[in-house]
Amino acid sequence: VTSWKPTLELCLERIISGAGSMSGSGGSLKRAGSSGLSVLSDETSPVTSPMKEPAPLMMRSKHSSKVGFQEVTVDGDSHPCARIGVMSAFQNMDSLTQGFHYLMEAFGKAVPSPAMCSSQLRRSRQSLQSFVGLGDASHSSNAVDGDPSHIINVALLHSPTGSRADDKSVLECLQNFISPRKQTLQENEIRRVTFIIHQGTKLPKYFTFRASQDFNEDSIYRHLEPGLAFQLELKRLANFDIELISTPFHHMHFYFGAAKSSAGQKVVDHRFFVRFIVRNSDFSGETHASYTYMQTQGERLLLEALDELEVAMGDKKFPKTDCNHIFFNFVPPILIDLDKIDSQLRSLVAHHSRRLIQLRVTQCELKLTLKLTPNGKNIPARVFITNDSGYFADIRMYTEEEDFNKRDLVFVSFNNKDGEEGPLHGVSIMSPYETKGLLQNRRYAAQTLLTTYVYDFPNLFYQAVKSLWKEHAERGDCALVDIPRPLIEVTELVLDKNEKIQEVKRPPGSNKIGMVAWKMKLYTPECKSGREVVIISNDITHQIGSFGPDEDNLFNAASLLARSLGLPRLYLAANSGARIGLAEEVKSIFKVAWVDPQKPDEGFKYLYVTPADYKKISAQNSIHAELVEEDGQARYKIMDIYGVKHGLGVENLRGSGMIAGESSAAYDEIFTLSLVSCRSIGIGAYLVRLGQRVIQVEASDIILTGAAALNKVLGRKVYSSNAQLGGTQIMHNNGVSHMTVKDDYEGVRAMLTWLSYVPKTRSSPLPVLLTSDPVLRPVEFTPTKAPYDPRHLLAGRPKPGSATSNWERGFFDRNSFCETLQPWAQTVVCGRARLGGFPVGVIAVETRSVEVTEPADPANPDSETKTHSQAGQVWYPDSAFKTAQAIRDFDREGLPLFIFANWRGFSGGMRDMFDEVLKFGALIVDALRVYQQPCFVYIPPKGELRGGAWVVLDPTINPDAMELYADKESRGGVLEPEGITAIKFRARDLQKTMHRIDPICIGLLTDLKQTDLSKEDEAALKQKLADRELAITPMYQQVAIQFADLHDTAGRMLEKNVIHRALDWRNSRTFFYWRLRRRLEEFAFWRHLESKDKSYTQQKSINLLHRWFLEEFLEAKAHLWANNECVALWLQKQMADSNSILQQKLRRVERDAISAQVSCLLEQNSGMALELALTVIHHLSPTQVSRVAQDLASAGGERRRPKGALPVSTPRQGN
């Protein structure tokens, strides 16, 4: 059968062109009797004959194919089971009508029908059809003995409809020809008739009529050579009702599919199928094609498919589609490098990802014949590129191999780098495409709202963790072999019947409420052993993600679980606020008591239900009604509507209040972070704000009331969209949103990046991430007196005038600084970074002037957009509030804090005082006073800290946590030198200085002191002195400023003991690294000590530690106490060793603390001493009880012993 195609093409081409001779591949053509039929025999010599009459060609197939991998050969000349195929060409329909009997004569003289074949050979034929995927096979799945087998192909040189060449007219004409001849075709056991309409220089049209469809046209195969159906694998579309869509591309086969459903059931699964066959016409004589050919051809065809999809999806004729599918069958073998195919395909998909997602293409399928080497064997393979969630292309490769048990070809996973078997592993290669299930319907609903389906988020977390590891390896911070498996572990959190939260494993989509929660363990680069988080998410596909009592209860329980375990709580917000509803059971039966039933416009008196209806709903306690009688009719006047369903009104607000309070408490106790996807309305908006840290997707909104509702309140259309009220241009610029991302995947990745700076639990140590940036290196970027970007100070920058690879390194580890709240209050820069791998919070100062834009309110016609400037190195109301909020966030995240202090003070103008700059400045002090982590305030080179700015950062605010350092080139004081000199070094002081220092002034003053000067000479000298003073005043003003400036140096600050140390900027990174490690160890020691004895303050614990340090190192090495590196390493080693001297001393302190507590209790409750003692004795072992008895006896003897008598020693048994 497979040898027909080249023969048919060649023969028809020569018949139509009137050629006198033909030759075929696989057989020869010769006359068959007086009818002029040419029969394809098994001979190979060409036969030539004149073509005076219409000359049909009869082909008896001689084919050899593997059926079930057993060789079966059918010889058309000798075997009684030959399949007859006739090919003929006619000028027009008239000649076809006249010559039709010639076609039938060929079958009349043919061999016996297949009905006489043995059952074994018939099964072989059916197996062959199934194996190669022939279109005919799809119509004969229930084949029985006597099924028609023969085929007729008729070529028409001229269209049967003349000038009207549209498909509808041609089909009508051909159908009129076939219909009266159905019986003849059935008697001759014709399986199908295919008409080939010649179109000059264009490709011919094909119309196929099948016996299985009562010789009506099979529209699926219109304009498709039926023999090629197996290459398009149309049998795999069996679960859909298919409609062919015409396109201008002859090589594209475009179908619209509607999932088959039961009668009366609504079809919800519609999709487009685009299928291509890429032939090898360009590779005659070649054994294979290159991957470049496949890539270029595939991309060209992909673009054509996307263009046609775009046109079809814009056609209102078709309903909305989802899960659209594109299929490529590459006929020539392709030489492929398996190591590169994954990355190259991903690159291709990523390049067109926006259009693929927009056109709802969820899968591309490539049927290939691979060659791994030029002389290697051919490997039949498939590549499936699937993207259900809209974010990741899951690329799976399979080979087609025989399953001897199933006697079928199946997919076998091949070249999968993750080592996991693909979802189609072991599935038949001809298995039909599955229709959409519940998950895909919900996924489509969520994606329509521009968000991610809730159960796709775990996969986003998996992909984000995988991406972080890959990025970590690319920076050289780890090897790929170090990546743990698995990357995440997920269990879902649900409420049982007793409202207790439980961890369960259940299939996605099993939720019955609009809230889903998970407990997830993430194996990230900074926590290779895994870190647990609690994730709570709205399901926007369930009642548009609204909050009802059930949703509130699950949210509250999951948040309480996170707090009890000290785990981070992540909230994925996509909701519509508190749920609203009405009692539907009452809505359908209530009636209206009109003032005048004939005039409804006069109003109504009340609502009521009839006694019959009241009887139905009274048992449900749905309403509260009073029996009244009006117009002789008994009615139940509705006083209150309760509703059968719980969650219609105020109960939802009660639940909203509960989770609002829980979110506020969670922010104080654990790490909270929210991602806003799609929208967050009402209580949803408050939840993300109460959690404080917010990441907002660019297409999402955080609002209290929708634009439509506000427009109704205002009585006119003021707001065109929710984005005007709570889009990123509002919420990111006012500090509600800390970060913005383009989509949900980037949002999840940003969450994990933020999480990487946070300890695993509230009481865990900081997560240290190894970095390739050495700690013991100088800081290369040097701040200048001129304005500069403070981010360069923190993170570094490309060296000016050099390539970007030549990096000028900043203070923190390269690529570790992550900024938040960037567009809000831009005179302050804040974020998180790493110092030697240790995460820290960072606050720096913008030295450049910035512009602030206040948007106009569309609701106020008189408002307008305003722009004003803010100077650098000054705290304004917004930047002071930003500083205070950042400090609070860092403290609750358990991060050490670095403040690069370069402020000249607070802005004290009238506008800023009105905008509460004083209040927000005080908030900085409030936040620092309770800071519980090491805090380093550092005045950088060329920086200054003055006036109120010094006051709110002075370490005496929190001496246990804060330390103040200054660079040797920094300054600090009450006022700037210019301000000091204007007050304390005025013109008279300048004059005195000039008279004291300047030699000319001194000489003139000496001359003026002479007593014999005339008035003229005296006046001349005074004039000279005045001129001299005027000439040198500018320079002496600079002298005065320099004099005042020398009062603000780091040396004076150190002398006055207001800073801890004056530092050199280039070496500051190394100093602070070891100082940070020491302070972290000291804080850990203090907290450990405090847990044993509450009386220990931090200073007391440091003094104790100092004493123990000296006991170990003796006085000769007392100077090492000032060495941060030495103390940090010693303390780390001592705390890690349970048998160290330090740990032994700590255990002694613990025992002493417990003894002191017991003694205190006994003193405060002396009457209960005996009872307490007996309680303790009940918990002792017999040996311990014996010792207590001996000690008590000894203590009693001591009390009875006369004064001056020596104690009597008694032997003790045991311990």
Side-chain angles (χ1 to χ4, degrees):
V1 176
T2 55
S3 66
W4 281 24
K5 179 178 176 294
T7 303
L8 177 61
E9 290 178 342
L10 182 60
C11 291
L12 290 181
E13 177 183 350
R14 297 199 176 187
I15 290 171
I16 293 172
S17 62
S21 64
M22 294 171 287
S23 63
S25 60
S28 63
L29 300 173
K30 61 183 180 181
R31 287 292 185 187
S34 60
S35 64
L37 290 178
S38 293
V39 181
L40 182 67
S41 73
D42 59 352
E43 300 175 3
T44 57
S45 59
V47 177
T48 304
S49 62
M51 301 291 292
K52 297 180 180 179
E53 296 292 336
L57 301 176
M58 182 177 70
M59 298 180 69
R60 289 180 182 166
S61 64
K62 176 184 178 182
H63 55 268
S64 176
S65 177
K66 289 186 177 180
V67 180
F69 290 84
Q70 295 178 357
E71 199 75 18
V72 176
T73 302
V74 181
D75 189 332
D77 284 340
S78 59
H79 203 280
C81 291
R83 182 182 185 188
I84 306 301
V86 174
M87 297 185 295
S88 61
F90 295 90
Q91 291 289 330
N92 49 41
M93 286 297 296
D94 292 338
S95 60
L96 171 61
T97 304
Q98 296 173 7
F100 181 72
H101 65 280
Y102 291 121
L103 302 180
M104 293 300 100
E105 286 180 6
F107 296 102
K109 298 179 180 181
V111 295
S113 70
M116 301 174 60
C117 297
S118 66
S119 60
Q120 179 180 0
L121 288 179
R122 191 180 312 108
R123 285 194 299 269
S124 298
R125 175 172 60 82
Q126 294 168 1
S127 298
L128 173 63
Q129 294 169 346
S130 175
F131 173 77
V132 299
L134 284 172
D136 292 343
S138 65
H139 297 275
S140 59
S141 57
N142 299 320
V144 294
D145 291 352
D147 274 354
S149 176
H150 305 316
I151 292 171
I152 298 176
N153 294 279
V154 178
L156 293 174
L157 183 60
H158 301 291
S159 172
T161 57
S163 60
R164 292 183 300 120
D166 60 286
D167 289 355
K168 185 176 180 181
S169 301
V170 173
L171 175 61
E172 184 179 357
C173 181
L174 295 176
Q175 190 69 62
N176 292 336
F177 173 81
I178 286 288
S179 295
R181 295 170 175 81
K182 287 183 181 180
Q183 184 175 356
T184 303
L185 295 171
Q186 292 170 353
E187 290 174 353
N188 286 276
E189 298 184 358
I190 305 302
R191 186 182 190 86
R192 66 169 170 83
V193 179
T194 297
F195 293 92
I196 307 164
I197 312 299
H198 181 59
Q199 295 194 106
T201 58
K202 299 180 181 179
L203 287 174
K205 292 184 176 181
Y206 293 84
F207 296 86
T208 299
F209 299 81
R210 297 188 183 280
S212 60
Q213 298 186 10
D214 196 26
F215 286 104
N216 291 309
E217 193 216 8
D218 190 345
S219 60
I220 300 302
Y221 296 89
R222 181 179 296 180
H223 307 326
L224 172 65
E225 300 172 35
L228 296 182
F230 75 97
Q231 293 187 354
L232 291 178
E233 297 189 353
L234 297 182
K235 184 178 179 182
R236 300 186 64 192
L237 278 60
N239 290 335
F240 296 84
D241 293 321
I242 301 299
E243 175 186 351
L244 179 67
I245 303 173
S246 61
T247 70
F249 304 104
H250 68 275
H251 49 266
M252 180 189 300
H253 306 277
F254 199 115
Y255 304 96
F256 171 73
K260 295 179 179 179
S261 59
S262 304
Q265 187 176 357
K266 182 180 179 181
V267 178
V268 295
D269 186 359
H270 301 91
R271 62 182 75 178
F272 291 112
F273 294 93
V274 187
R275 308 180 87 73
F276 293 96
I277 299 176
V278 184
R279 310 178 190 235
N280 59 345
S281 57
D282 296 336
F283 289 90
S284 57
E286 297 288 339
T287 59
H288 62 268
S290 66
Y291 175 79
T292 304
Y293 166 76
M294 185 191 79
Q295 187 176 20
T296 54
Q297 283 288 90
E299 187 167 13
R300 180 179 64 82
L301 297 177
L302 177 63
L303 290 174
E304 292 178 1
L306 295 180
D307 291 340
E308 288 302 307
L309 275 172
E310 193 166 354
V311 172
M313 293 183 74
D315 191 343
K316 296 182 179 180
K317 170 186 174 183
F318 301 108
K320 290 184 177 180
T321 61
D322 186 27
C323 300
N324 296 325
H325 186 278
I326 301 177
F327 171 86
F328 299 89
N329 184 352
F330 289 90
V331 176
I334 308 293
L335 182 63
I336 285 182
D337 184 352
L338 292 178
D339 295 332
K340 297 180 180 179
I341 185 171
D342 186 270
S343 60
Q344 291 172 333
L345 286 176
R346 287 188 188 278
S347 176
L348 177 64
V349 172
H351 184 66
H352 302 286
S353 60
R354 186 174 296 277
R355 290 193 73 193
L356 288 167
I357 294 171
Q358 180 184 0
L359 297 173
R360 307 299 304 163
V361 178
T362 58
Q363 189 175 77
C364 291
E365 180 181 353
L366 282 68
K367 179 179 174 67
L368 307 168
T369 301
L370 303 182
K371 292 180 77 73
L372 303 183
T373 60
N375 298 322
K377 67 177 182 178
N378 293 342
I379 303 174
R382 298 291 177 100
V383 179
F384 290 87
I385 308 171
T386 307
N387 186 358
D388 291 328
S389 65
Y391 294 104
F392 301 103
D394 180 30
I395 300 179
R396 298 285 180 176
M397 182 177 287
Y398 304 88
T399 56
E400 300 175 5
E401 299 182 13
E402 183 188 13
D403 185 326
F404 290 95
N405 295 324
K406 297 180 180 179
R407 295 185 58 81
D408 196 3
L409 288 178
V410 297
F411 293 121
V412 177
S413 293
F414 177 68
N415 196 43
N416 292 324
K417 295 182 178 180
D418 56 9
E420 300 177 1
E421 293 180 348
L424 295 180
H425 180 79
V427 177
S428 171
I429 66 169
M430 296 306 295
S431 59
Y433 298 121
E434 295 182 357
T435 57
K436 280 199 306 186
L438 175 65
L439 283 184
Q440 188 58 36
N441 286 327
R442 292 183 178 179
R443 183 178 288 121
Y444 176 66
Q447 292 173 355
T448 302
L449 295 171
L450 303 180
T451 185
T452 301
Y453 178 49
V454 61
Y455 280 98
D456 285 338
F457 272 107
N459 185 45
L460 294 194
F461 276 92
Y462 169 81
Q463 296 292 345
V465 173
K466 185 177 179 181
S467 173
L468 289 177
W469 273 108
K470 183 178 180 181
E471 181 182 289
H472 194 57
E474 288 175 350
R475 289 202 303 261
D477 297 335
C478 75
L480 288 175
V481 295
D482 297 331
I483 300 177
R485 294 288 188 273
L487 292 178
I488 68 169
E489 297 174 2
V490 184
T491 56
E492 191 171 347
L493 301 175
V494 299
L495 292 176
D496 60 17
K497 296 179 180 179
N498 299 320
E499 296 296 313
K500 301 294 184 182
I501 199 160
Q502 303 290 338
E503 296 183 29
V504 299
K505 291 273 191 181
R506 63 178 185 177
S510 302
N511 59 310
K512 303 298 182 184
I513 63 174
M515 191 74 69
V516 180
W518 299 278
K519 185 178 178 184
M520 192 177 294
K521 191 169 187 179
L522 308 170
Y523 295 87
T524 55
E526 78 281 356
C527 294
K528 294 182 180 180
S529 60
R531 65 179 309 155
E532 291 184 326
V533 297
V534 171
I535 301 175
I536 308 171
S537 178
N538 298 106
D539 181 1
I540 202 167
T541 66
H542 182 90
Q543 299 195 36
I544 59 174
S546 57
F547 289 86
D550 293 334
E551 287 78 9
D552 296 332
N553 290 337
L554 178 58
F555 185 103
N556 187 65
S559 184
L560 285 171
L561 175 67
R563 280 206 289 150
S564 65
L565 299 176
L567 300 178
R569 192 202 77 180
L570 309 182
Y571 173 43
L572 310 174
N575 57 74
S576 302
R579 185 170 301 157
I580 56 176
L582 296 172
E584 296 296 331
E585 69 278 5
V586 182
K587 181 180 177 181
S588 60
I589 63 173
F590 78 86
K591 300 182 182 302
V592 183
W594 301 102
V595 174
D596 184 349
Q598 304 302 321
K599 299 178 180 179
D601 56 326
E602 292 185 3
F604 63 93
K605 294 180 285 186
Y606 54 85
L607 305 181
Y608 69 93
V609 294
T610 64
D613 290 334
Y614 180 75
K615 185 177 180 180
K616 294 178 184 177
I617 63 175
S618 59
Q620 300 175 348
N621 193 31
S622 185
I623 64 172
H624 169 221
E626 294 181 355
L627 180 62
V628 298
E629 187 171 341
E630 187 168 329
D631 299 331
Q633 182 184 22
R635 301 175 175 177
Y636 281 90
K637 179 181 178 182
I638 301 176
M639 308 302 294
D640 306 293
I641 299 178
Y642 304 144
V644 174
K645 190 175 180 180
H646 187 55
L648 299 180
V650 291
E651 62 270 36
N652 298 333
L653 300 180
R654 166 62 65 88
S656 297
M658 174 183 67
I659 60 177
E662 168 58 30
S663 293
S664 178
Y667 171 73
D668 283 333
E669 296 183 19
I670 57 176
F671 175 76
T672 56
L673 178 59
S674 302
L675 172 65
V676 179
S677 172
C678 179
R679 60 174 179 251
S680 196
I681 302 175
I683 178 58
Y686 277 110
L687 288 178
V688 298
R689 177 55 191 167
L690 288 166
Q692 298 294 328
R693 306 172 191 87
V694 182
I695 300 172
Q696 186 176 4
V697 177
E698 290 176 355
S700 66
D701 311 308
I702 304 173
I703 57 176
L704 296 177
T705 307
L710 283 178
N711 289 339
K712 289 183 179 179
V713 172
L714 296 171
R716 57 194 176 91
K717 187 175 181 180
V718 175
Y719 301 104
S720 59
S721 68
N722 290 335
Q724 284 183 284
L725 302 170
T728 53
Q729 78 278 10
I730 301 295
M731 294 301 172
H732 199 201
N733 292 336
N734 67 10
V736 171
S737 298
H738 289 61
M739 301 171 65
T740 60
V741 291
K742 66 178 183 179
D743 54 41
D744 290 343
Y745 168 68
E746 293 297 331
V748 169
R749 202 175 187 284
M751 295 180 93
L752 293 180
T753 300
W754 199 327
L755 197 65
S756 69
Y757 297 98
V758 180
K760 293 169 64 173
T761 65
R762 180 73 174 177
S763 57
S764 298
L766 292 173
V768 181
L769 184 62
L770 297 179
T771 175
S772 57
D773 192 358
V775 175
L776 305 178
R777 65 161 174 83
V779 183
E780 296 174 351
F781 175 81
T782 303
T784 61
K785 195 67 177 176
Y788 60 90
D789 189 342
R791 296 163 188 82
H792 296 162
L793 178 147
L794 305 175
R797 66 173 181 180
K799 285 187 178 180
S802 64
T804 55
S805 59
N806 199 356
W807 193 257
E808 191 174 43
R809 294 178 288 188
F811 183 86
F812 293 107
D813 299 345
R814 185 175 180 181
N815 298 320
S816 71
F817 177 63
C818 179
E819 186 177 0
T820 57
L821 299 169
Q822 187 273 327
W824 174 52
Q826 296 181 48
T827 56
V828 167
V829 175
C830 64
R832 290 146 191 83
R834 293 186 183 275
L835 179 59
F838 287 85
V840 297
V842 183
I843 297 175
V845 186
E846 178 61 80
T847 62
R848 302 165 297 178
S849 295
V850 299
E851 286 190 347
V852 180
T853 301
E854 298 178 5
D857 186 359
N860 182 5
D862 297 330
S863 68
E864 58 184 15
T865 301
K866 297 179 180 179
T867 301
H868 58 272
S869 297
Q870 291 182 343
Q873 298 178 269
V874 177
W875 260 316
Y876 292 88
D878 57 351
S879 55
F881 185 28
K882 178 178 180 178
T883 304
Q885 179 173 317
I887 294 172
R888 292 176 65 234
D889 288 345
F890 297 147
D891 187 27
R892 283 157 179 77
E893 293 172 26
L895 296 180
L897 174 59
F898 278 83
I899 301 177
F900 291 87
N902 189 10
W903 283 281
R904 294 179 291 149
F906 287 85
S907 176
M910 184 185 74
R911 178 187 178 88
D912 296 320
M913 292 299 290
F914 179 80
D915 288 339
E916 305 172 289
V917 66
L918 195 61
K919 177 196 293 185
F920 297 127
L923 288 179
I924 299 175
V925 178
D926 293 337
L928 288 174
R929 183 186 61 83
V930 296
Y931 205 82
Q932 299 179 19
Q933 317 300 330
C935 175
F936 305 98
V937 182
Y938 179 38
I939 309 175
K942 312 299 183 183
E944 52 188 321
L945 188 61
R946 302 187 184 279
W950 182 296
V951 172
V952 300
L953 297 178
D954 191 83
T956 55
I957 293 172
N958 185 354
D960 287 342
M962 297 179 66
E963 295 179 352
L964 177 58
Y965 298 87
D967 190 84
K968 294 178 180 179
E969 297 183 15
S970 65
R971 296 293 184 264
V974 179
L975 291 177
E976 295 174 347
E978 293 82 359
I980 287 287
T981 55
I983 299 172
K984 294 295 184 180
F985 216 119
R986 299 185 178 181
R988 184 178 301 175
D989 300 310
L990 280 176
Q991 189 181 54
K992 290 180 180 179
T993 305
M994 288 185 283
H995 293 175
R996 181 174 57 84
I997 296 176
D998 185 64
I1000 297 177
C1001 288
I1002 293 174
L1004 291 172
L1005 288 171
T1006 303
D1007 293 342
L1008 283 170
K1009 291 179 181 180
Q1010 296 177 13
T1011 58
D1012 56 348
L1013 288 175
S1014 64
K1015 290 184 178 181
E1016 291 79 2
D1017 293 338
E1018 184 178 358
L1021 288 173
K1022 286 183 178 180
Q1023 184 61 44
K1024 288 182 179 180
L1025 181 62
D1027 292 342
R1028 179 61 179 175
E1029 290 175 352
L1030 183 63
I1032 64 175
T1033 293
M1035 185 54 65
Y1036 271 81
Q1037 286 176 336
Q1038 297 300 317
V1039 171
I1041 291 173
Q1042 177 66 20
F1043 176 74
D1045 182 68
L1046 291 173
H1047 290 72
D1048 299 337
T1049 61
R1052 186 177 187 278
M1053 288 186 260
L1054 186 61
E1055 177 65 24
K1056 294 301 179 181
N1057 201 30
V1058 295
I1059 62 173
H1060 287 70
R1061 183 179 294 187
L1063 300 176
D1064 175 60
W1065 170 246
R1066 285 184 60 82
N1067 300 319
S1068 59
R1069 170 180 165 88
T1070 303
F1071 169 80
F1072 276 115
Y1073 170 75
W1074 288 114
R1075 185 61 185 170
L1076 172 64
R1077 288 192 56 176
R1078 173 175 177 167
R1079 292 293 286 160
L1080 289 173
E1081 294 293 343
E1082 289 176 347
F1083 267 71
F1085 173 80
W1086 167 50
R1087 291 193 176 103
H1088 182 79
L1089 197 60
E1090 186 185 33
S1091 66
K1092 309 301 181 185
D1093 188 347
K1094 299 294 183 184
S1095 66
Y1096 276 92
T1097 63
Q1098 191 193 47
Q1099 189 57 49
K1100 184 179 178 181
S1101 68
I1102 297 300
N1103 294 337
L1104 180 64
L1105 186 63
H1106 186 196
R1107 192 175 78 238
W1108 291 350
F1109 182 85
L1110 295 178
E1111 289 177 1
E1112 180 168 345
F1113 287 93
L1114 304 177
E1115 292 295 334
K1117 295 185 179 181
H1119 64 280
L1120 293 177
W1121 179 252
N1123 187 315
N1124 292 317
E1125 180 180 359
C1126 177
V1127 175
L1129 295 177
W1130 171 77
L1131 192 51
Q1132 180 184 18
K1133 180 180 179 181
Q1134 291 288 317
M1135 293 297 291
D1137 185 1
S1138 59
N1139 295 320
S1140 66
I1141 296 175
L1142 192 64
Q1143 289 285 12
Q1144 294 175 17
K1145 292 178 181 293
L1146 283 173
R1147 287 193 288 269
R1148 192 176 305 123
V1149 169
E1150 182 179 5
R1151 287 196 298 268
D1152 293 344
I1154 294 173
S1155 298
Q1157 291 176 7
V1158 171
S1159 298
C1160 182
L1161 286 173
L1162 292 175
E1163 290 177 2
Q1164 295 174 357
N1165 305 276
S1166 57
M1168 299 179 62
L1170 180 59
E1171 183 178 347
L1172 289 172
L1174 293 175
T1175 302
V1176 172
I1177 288 174
H1178 284 304
H1179 290 82
L1180 300 179
S1181 65
T1183 303
Q1184 292 171 328
V1185 170
S1186 175
R1187 177 169 178 176
V1188 169
Q1190 293 177 12
D1191 287 343
L1192 289 174
S1194 176
E1198 288 285 340
R1199 284 195 294 270
R1200 293 192 298 270
R1201 179 161 35 88
K1203 186 176 181 179
L1206 295 174
V1208 178
S1209 171
T1210 58
R1212 294 182 177 180
Q1213 297 179 352
N1215 291 329

